[in-house]
Amino acid sequence: YVDYTYASLTSTEEVLRELRPRYYVKGADWEGRLPAEQEEICAAAGTRIVFLDTVVDSSTAILRRYHERYEQPQRARTG
């Protein structure tokens, strides 16, 4: 199970450097295309990169839908 997730306004690289997680979990579609800098940060921190093929929907797509549904209408109302 997942102990903690983190949404950040900073780059993934900065979050990896700061949090130094035990595991960095990505969808299987990222295998072989993860940015080299992220791999290097994980290697230096002892973070294990795990690729899962069980993801039904990407987290980016989920957040985008949330933003479109809930954030944009609020901005339109507040001007």
Side-chain angles (χ1 to χ4, degrees):
Y1 65 90
V2 175
D3 288 326
Y4 185 73
T5 61
Y6 184 77
S8 174
L9 299 176
T10 62
S11 70
T12 298
E13 291 79 10
E14 188 173 334
V15 172
L16 288 170
R17 281 189 199 96
E18 291 294 320
L19 295 182
R20 301 174 58 93
R22 181 176 296 160
Y23 301 102
Y24 179 39
V25 180
K26 297 293 286 179
D29 58 317
W30 281 96
E31 196 160 7
R33 16 180 245 116
L34 199 62
E37 185 177 4
Q38 291 179 17
E39 292 179 348
E40 292 163 6
I41 293 166
C42 289
T47 299
R48 181 175 168 207
I49 301 171
V50 179
F51 297 99
L52 299 178
D53 62 358
T54 58
V55 177
V56 175
D57 202 355
S58 78
S59 57
T60 302
I62 292 168
L63 289 170
R64 185 175 295 123
R65 284 194 306 272
Y66 174 86
H67 177 73
E68 289 169 354
R69 180 175 291 162
Y70 298 106
E71 297 296 323
Q72 289 179 350
Q74 288 180 0
R75 287 185 186 167
R77 284 186 296 231
T78 59

